[in-house]
Amino acid sequence: MATIQEALAAAVRHHQNGQIAVAARIYRRIIEIAPDQSDALHLMGLAVRRAGQGGAALRLLARALRLDPAMAEPRLNLGNMLRDFGAGQGAAAAYRSAIALRPGLTAAYESLGGLYRGQDRPAEAERAYRRAIRVDPMAAEGHNGLANVLQERDALDDAAAAYRRGLAIDPAHAAAWNNMGIALRGLGRPDAAMACHRRAVALDPYFAAGHSSFGLALQERGCLDEAARAHARAAAVDPGFAGGYANHGNARLNQNRLDEAIAGFRRAVAIDPAGPDARRNLGMALLVAGRFEEGWREYEWRLRCKDAPTHAAMPKPRWAGEPLDGRRILLHGEQGLGDALQFCRYVPLVAARGGRVILGLPAPLERVMAGLPGVERFVSGQLPTDAFDLHLPMLSLGEVFGTQMDTIPHRVPYLSAEPDLAARWGERLAGLARDGGGLKVGLKVGIVWAGSPTHGNDRNRSIGLAPFARLAAIPGVSLVSIQKGPTEGQAANPPGGFPLLNLSPDIRDFADTAAIMAGLDLVVCVDTSVAHLAGALGVPVWVLVPFAPDWRWMLDRDDSPWYPTMRLFRQDQPGSWDNAMDRLERALRELATHVSHTRTGASDMPILAPVSWGELLDKITILDIKAERIADAEKLANVRREREALEAVAAQADTARPDVAAVIGDLRAVNTTLWEIEDEIRDCERAKDFGPRFVELARRVYRTNDQRAALKRDLNQLLGSELVEEKSYQAY
């Protein structure tokens, strides 16, 4: 008959060979014969744990330790079990007691480091891993664990060195190769990183995270099909790996293959419903597709992602859209300046629900938002919690208001330039109107060629100054630099020396940029905050958009539902701006040719004809409506030019008087109604529908025109017009 020690040794061999059930039968038999055999109790606990019986495993380990409190290994394994059950404090105590019993037990330091790392206690984790390395410099897990901690705090050079030390000891460690590849990608060494990722999946073809990391490396190099295949392989080897599906979705989203992207994100969400990154990316894909209702809802998960600047909970309740009844609401920025410029359009709507709006945004936006209706206060720093009652991140306004494609608050302008500031910048721009002492007829075009270098997609959206040289060569076009940031210095010495008025050094904030735009005919820019500012001001703006666009630009359209005066010029393939610039250049040549034709000869002299104040203000309200509803840049330029000329005359009247302003508002509303009636009449005409609806619309035309005539007459009386327009029609 075998001794207990012989039986125990046989059970351990079976245990190590993965024959857990066989080992458990032997452990159980030993315990029946010798109930106080602490080693058998300890090892039986590990076997039971492998079978998913956590409670029984803990009881067996506790019994073993009562019998032999001096055993270190059971304390280490008890700590691992407690860690897996989420009992972090108990796990740490078990690891420390194991170390106290055996200071040379390297695995206890490594496990303690892993526990602290999972608890986001990097300094303590680093100390534990360094202690493991001091105890045993040849312990690969200590080096790899230390490297993981260093990588998570962006000490990438030190992390890569630690991975190398661990891999020198254990060159078959697939996870370490994979993690070193991630560190090298962060250090901008893509070739070395790619080699590491290839090595990781070669060592372990069933390493799902390794395949997905390899896919991310391919994605960063623009190899999107290969990247998608790598992510698909990750999901195939581990169908429960949510990251594989999510990354496959990202690869397809970068190819504008929305259906596949959405399917990948949905699969990731089904596996891990609480994973914020996949849900945020699902939201963005749905918004790109124009599926706003679900898109806004899923996009709210961005606030739970680790890279969200506002992921910390606010100390006050979040607004859900209910009536505010005079309460103070803080609308705060969370991402870029462009997002704030886009979503500040909702401020008047928030104020209309009874809110006293406080805007919490960066200081460069303060002056340009000073005239935004509904803003009670602007803050750019910390705000005491007793200064507001509710809060909302600005990009959540779309979800709160239930914004759909046809309900986007798209009326522009909703921001305006300061008149005095615009006049001062206009004097600088006037220098473009002279060429050798004579008038130079043409377009003043503001340009921006780069966004913020810290933006995650900047390498895809920024284009550089050199491609704009071809625009400077177009007859009748004068370029103006309104670029800010690290690349603005390029304007001082344009490539090839092309002519460029450089206003960049004197621009202090967005109020200056807005004032400059008031004197420009067109803005041409990359996808950056300037595009949003121009759109908010109602200035014609042409935007160069990357192949895989930001969600707000959607796909397969050259206009924007957010900005009526915007035109989009999209890349037709990733990384190449040639075709987009060709199309933009052709469009600008056509616009410049049209403007030069309409401004030449004696007909370009202004027509000076006296009219009544009512007639003049009526015309201006019609031009206001056209500026809101016409998207074509060429037509908008003409509308804006005519409106500016008429407003210069109207400035002589006291139109700011409350009684006068009220009548002008009523006149604008009547002219808007007439515009809409005419649209409906044209719809009937197209449908050949001349029935009761057509008759009713025709009758509304003369009734509404009578209201219009009465309001014009009221303006003439209020302003003491010497000329009075008269109407005389048969009664009806």
Side-chain angles (χ1 to χ4, degrees), residues 46-93:
L46 299 183
V48 168
R49 177 73 178 101
R50 286 283 297 273
Q53 301 175 40
L58 285 172
R59 289 192 292 273
L60 286 163
L61 260 68
R63 186 175 160 190
L65 287 168
R66 283 196 300 271
L67 291 167
D68 188 354
M71 290 195 302
E73 286 86 351
R75 293 184 184 278
L76 169 62
N77 289 320
L78 175 63
N80 291 338
M81 287 187 194
L82 290 170
R83 178 199 62 204
D84 294 343
F85 290 138
Q89 189 172 354

Side-chain angles (χ1 to χ4, degrees), residues 309-310 330-336 339-340 359-362 392-395:
T310 57
L330 172 65
L331 300 179
H332 49 95
E334 51 175 296
Q335 298 184 33
D339 297 298
L359 278 184
L361 294 170
L392 191 71
M394 289 188 75
L395 269 73

Side-chain angles (χ1 to χ4, degrees), residues 398-689:
E399 197 266 341
V400 166
F401 279 93
T403 300
Q404 300 293 324
M405 281 287 292
D406 58 351
T407 62
I408 291 172
H410 64 274
R411 175 169 291 190
V412 295
Y414 54 85
L415 296 178
S416 59
E418 297 177 23
D420 291 344
L421 197 58
R424 290 199 295 273
W425 280 107
E427 293 173 4
R428 295 278 300 274
L429 290 169
L432 290 174
R434 303 204 169 273
D435 182 12
L439 285 177
K440 180 181 179 182
V441 177
L443 294 170
K444 299 186 287 292
V445 180
I447 61 170
V448 173
W449 55 88
S452 169
T454 60
H455 188 280
N457 196 41
D458 192 59
R459 65 190 178 91
N460 290 323
R461 65 174 184 164
S462 292
I463 186 172
L465 178 56
F468 286 84
R470 60 162 80 182
L471 305 186
I474 298 173
V477 169
S478 298
L479 298 187
V480 180
S481 171
I482 52 175
Q483 174 74 46
K484 292 301 292 180
T487 65
E488 69 178 83
Q490 296 176 19
N493 186 25
F498 69 80
L500 177 64
L501 177 62
N502 183 15
L503 300 183
S504 297
D506 298 323
I507 297 175
R508 295 172 296 165
D509 60 16
F510 283 93
D512 282 317
T513 307
I516 294 169
M517 287 181 180
L520 297 175
D521 297 297
L522 176 67
V523 173
V524 176
C525 61
V526 297
D527 175 13
T528 186
S529 56
V530 170
H532 294 280
L533 178 62
L537 294 166
V539 172
V541 53
W542 294 355
V543 185
L544 291 156
V545 177
F547 177 78
D550 189 78
W551 62 263
R552 70 207 77 213
W553 308 133
M554 308 175 70
L555 295 180
D556 303 324
R557 58 189 301 162
D558 60 7
D559 66 336
S560 167
W562 294 92
Y563 299 112
T565 64
M566 182 175 286
R567 182 174 175 183
L568 305 177
F569 292 83
R570 300 175 182 271
Q571 283 184 331
D572 60 349
Q573 57 182 329
S576 174
W577 290 106
D578 292 344
N579 186 271
M581 284 300 296
D582 286 344
R583 286 181 277 115
L584 191 148
E585 180 186 358
R586 285 196 299 271
L588 189 55
R589 285 186 182 277
E590 291 172 8
L591 180 58
T593 300
H594 173 80
V595 170
S596 66
H597 286 166
T598 58
R599 292 187 186 176
T600 56
S603 62
D604 198 42
M605 293 294 292
I607 299 173
L608 303 176
V611 294
S612 68
W613 284 120
E615 185 72 14
L616 176 67
L617 295 170
D618 176 63
K619 178 65 174 177
I620 290 173
T621 64
I622 294 171
L623 290 168
D624 288 341
I625 297 166
K626 289 182 177 181
E628 292 170 1
R629 301 187 179 218
I630 293 175
D632 182 89
E634 179 181 315
K635 293 179 180 178
L636 267 175
N638 291 330
V639 168
R640 290 180 67 241
R641 193 173 299 111
E642 184 180 5
R643 185 174 63 179
E644 288 170 7
L646 297 185
E647 284 176 339
V649 178
Q652 301 172 43
D654 189 6
T655 56
R657 269 172 43 197
D659 54 346
V660 175
V663 178
I664 293 173
D666 291 342
L667 184 58
R668 184 179 290 107
V670 166
N671 278 325
T672 300
T673 300
L674 279 169
W675 183 292
E676 291 166 353
I677 291 171
E678 183 170 338
D679 281 347
E680 291 189 56
I681 288 175
R682 290 175 184 273
D683 289 340
C684 291
E685 188 80 34
R686 277 192 296 273
K688 305 301 181 187
D689 176 9

Side-chain angles (χ1 to χ4, degrees), residues 123-463:
E124 292 163 282
E126 182 178 346
R127 282 196 295 272
Y129 284 126
R130 290 193 184 279
R131 184 71 183 273
I133 293 167
R134 282 199 298 274
V135 169
D136 182 4
M138 296 303 291
E141 285 304 324
H143 292 288
N144 292 331
L146 174 62
N148 290 337
V149 173
L150 293 170
Q151 179 164 299
E152 285 165 0
R153 70 173 204 224
D154 286 331
L156 298 183
D157 281 313
D158 293 337
Y163 285 129
R164 287 190 195 95
R165 289 192 293 270
L167 287 167
I169 298 164
D170 180 8
H173 198 307
W177 281 110
N178 181 59
N179 290 336
M180 187 159 85
I182 295 171
L184 291 171
R185 280 180 14 230
L187 289 167
R189 299 172 58 188
D191 293 338
M194 190 72 74
C196 290
H197 291 308
R198 287 187 190 279
R199 183 74 176 272
V201 295
L203 286 167
D204 184 358
Y206 296 95
F207 181 19
H211 285 291
S212 207
S213 292
F214 183 36
L216 292 174
L218 289 164
Q219 215 164 302
E220 289 173 4
R221 301 183 76 169
C223 305
L224 297 179
D225 276 323
E226 296 94 323
R229 284 195 290 271
H231 296 313
R233 176 64 179 163
V237 300
D238 183 1
F241 178 43
Y245 294 106
N247 288 330
H248 186 267
N250 288 330
R252 292 312 193 199
L253 186 58
N254 285 330
Q255 293 178 295
N256 294 338
R257 294 165 65 166
L258 290 186
D259 290 342
E260 294 172 76
I262 290 169
F265 295 136
R266 290 198 190 283
R267 188 70 180 270
V269 169
I271 295 168
D272 181 14
D277 293 278
R279 300 199 73 156
R280 173 198 59 193
N281 293 348
L282 172 60
M284 289 194 293
L286 291 165
L287 291 171
V288 171
R291 295 158 63 177
F292 279 14
E293 183 174 359
E294 186 185 4
W296 293 127
R297 187 168 63 249
E298 294 297 332
Y299 191 50
E300 285 298 296
W301 284 81
R302 73 194 183 280
L303 300 171
R304 306 188 193 189
C305 296
K306 287 184 178 180
D307 59 356
T310 57
H311 65 276
M314 277 280 186
K316 291 295 180 73
R318 176 186 164 107
W319 184 50
E322 71 277 10
L324 287 160
D325 300 323
R327 286 177 292 173
R328 298 161 301 175
I329 177 170
L330 172 65
L331 300 179
H332 49 95
E334 51 175 296
Q335 298 184 33
L337 298 173
D339 297 298
L341 289 163
Q342 179 182 3
F343 280 82
C344 71
R345 71 183 67 214
Y346 286 92
V347 168
L349 303 181
V350 178
R353 294 198 180 180
R356 296 166 55 193
V357 178
I358 302 170
L359 278 184
L361 294 170
L365 292 170
E366 181 171 4
R367 286 201 302 161
V368 79
M369 291 193 179
L372 186 63
V375 177
E376 180 175 287
R377 182 180 174 191
F378 187 103
V379 292
S380 58
Q382 292 293 322
L383 187 67
T385 55
D386 62 357
F388 60 100
D389 305 302
L390 300 164
H391 83 97
L392 191 71
M394 289 188 75
L395 269 73
S396 295
L397 286 162
E399 197 266 341
V400 166
F401 279 93
T403 300
Q404 300 293 324
M405 281 287 292
D406 58 351
T407 62
I408 291 172
H410 64 274
R411 175 169 291 190
V412 295
Y414 54 85
L415 296 178
S416 59
E418 297 177 23
D420 291 344
L421 197 58
R424 290 199 295 273
W425 280 107
E427 293 173 4
R428 295 278 300 274
L429 290 169
L432 290 174
R434 303 204 169 273
D435 182 12
L439 285 177
K440 180 181 179 182
V441 177
L443 294 170
K444 299 186 287 292
V445 180
I447 61 170
V448 173
W449 55 88
S452 169
T454 60
H455 188 280
N457 196 41
D458 192 59
R459 65 190 178 91
N460 290 323
R461 65 174 184 164
S462 292
I463 186 172

